[in-house]
Amino acid sequence: MHPQTRLARFEHHTEWPLAAVALIFLGLYSWQILLEPRGPTGDAVGTAMRALYFVFVADYLARLYLANPRGKWFLRHLFDLAIVALPFLRPLRLLSLAVVVDVFQRAVGDSIRGRVIIYTACGGVVMIYAAALAILDVERHVPATHIRTFGDAIWWSITTVTTVGYGDLTPVSAAGKVVAVVLMVGGITLVGVVTATLASWIVQRVAEEDTANQAATGAQIDELREEIRRLAKLVTDDREPAYGEVREGF
């Protein structure tokens, strides 16, 4: 079997199981950030998160192995490499949440407009929630910060992802600013997807209306042609003398 076919089959069979793993990973991260478990419970949550994260690492390595050519696939998926490699550096561990959004994108896909809408809605919710967890993780213990509760984090995440940016809550730590930049880029991308989807829907509706109008116009033209042929036949029949009338004229 061709390696590229093997890669496509592998991605098809693993996309939804990976999405389930991503949800579990996000749930454990939520537990870790919101409840801050200590002692054996905290150690167990951390161990489970690391085990789940290695599933994403194994997925990346498997796709790299099955890709053909590998060099081209590697260059085209540098972002995938970043989101599985950078979180091993502890200051950048919050980037591990990017793998959740990436897995959902691969699972839902963007082949048709309906799936794009689903991905946009789900991706937007996951992005806001994950960014709120990340900003709360890195900001709440900073002395000069204003983001100290999950409610503050959610409000900040919504105003940032929608590019509103009221400025009442802003990150002050370097890690918090990294989260903000990532969320800003994600928000712009999300708005672009929504705009493109809406534009595509409008273009399709206009095209459908044009097609319907052209079909109606064609039918009307055919009816007029048929009516003209019928009238022409009637006129011809009225002007043509009968055989007996021609004989009497002689």
Side-chain angles (χ1 to χ4, degrees):
M1 185 179 296
H2 195 277
Q4 188 63 37
T5 303
R6 290 168 56 196
L7 174 60
R9 288 170 60 87
F10 175 80
E11 291 180 338
H12 175 73
H13 289 297
T14 59
E15 55 190 12
W16 285 110
L18 277 175
V21 173
L23 278 177
I24 298 173
F25 182 87
L26 184 60
L28 289 175
Y29 189 78
S30 302
W31 187 4
Q32 186 181 60
I33 300 304
L34 298 179
L35 301 180
E36 296 186 281
R38 306 291 182 181
T41 303
D43 295 338
V45 172
T47 301
M49 286 186 62
R50 286 190 291 272
L52 290 175
Y53 194 77
F54 274 104
V55 173
F56 303 126
V57 176
D59 170 69
Y60 174 82
L61 294 176
R63 289 187 292 135
L64 177 62
Y65 173 76
L66 294 174
N68 183 34
R70 291 194 184 97
K72 183 177 180 180
W73 188 93
F74 175 80
L75 293 176
R76 295 181 61 183
H77 293 79
L78 290 176
F79 179 74
D80 292 358
L81 174 63
I83 64 177
V84 300
L86 291 180
F88 284 105
L89 305 175
R90 185 166 181 80
L92 298 175
R93 67 189 181 92
L94 56 93
L95 293 180
S96 59
L97 290 176
V99 77
V100 177
V101 178
D102 181 64
V103 167
F104 275 109
Q105 180 179 8
R106 287 166 47 198
V108 177
D110 55 0
S111 58
I112 58 176
R113 187 177 303 105
R115 298 179 73 181
V116 172
I117 294 173
I118 293 174
Y119 162 67
T120 302
C122 295
V125 172
V126 171
M127 186 185 305
I128 292 171
Y129 181 71
L133 292 176
I135 200 68
L136 183 62
D137 184 21
V138 299
E139 284 285 315
R140 64 181 165 190
H141 297 304
V142 177
T145 187
H146 297 91
I147 304 174
R148 298 189 179 277
T149 67
F150 184 64
D152 293 338
I154 284 288
W155 172 249
W156 172 86
S157 184
I158 292 174
T159 58
T160 302
V161 78
T162 56
T163 68
V164 174
Y166 285 115
D168 53 343
L169 299 173
T170 56
V172 296
S173 65
K177 292 176 181 178
V178 171
V179 176
V181 170
V182 173
L183 188 58
M184 290 174 192
V185 174
I188 294 172
T189 303
L190 186 66
V191 171
V193 170
V194 172
T195 303
T197 303
L198 180 60
S200 176
W201 176 78
I202 293 174
V203 169
Q204 181 184 14
R205 291 300 303 269
V206 171
E208 290 175 352
E209 290 291 336
D210 288 344
T211 302
N213 291 335
Q214 291 176 1
T217 303
Q220 293 172 354
I221 292 174
D222 292 339
E223 291 179 0
L224 288 174
R225 287 175 177 172
E226 184 64 28
E227 184 68 18
I228 291 172
R229 283 195 293 267
R230 188 177 66 82
L231 292 175
K233 186 175 183 302
L234 290 175
V235 171
T236 302
D237 292 343
D238 291 340
R239 294 181 60 185
E240 183 177 345
Y243 178 76
E245 295 174 348
V246 174
R247 296 285 297 178
E248 290 177 359
F250 285 100

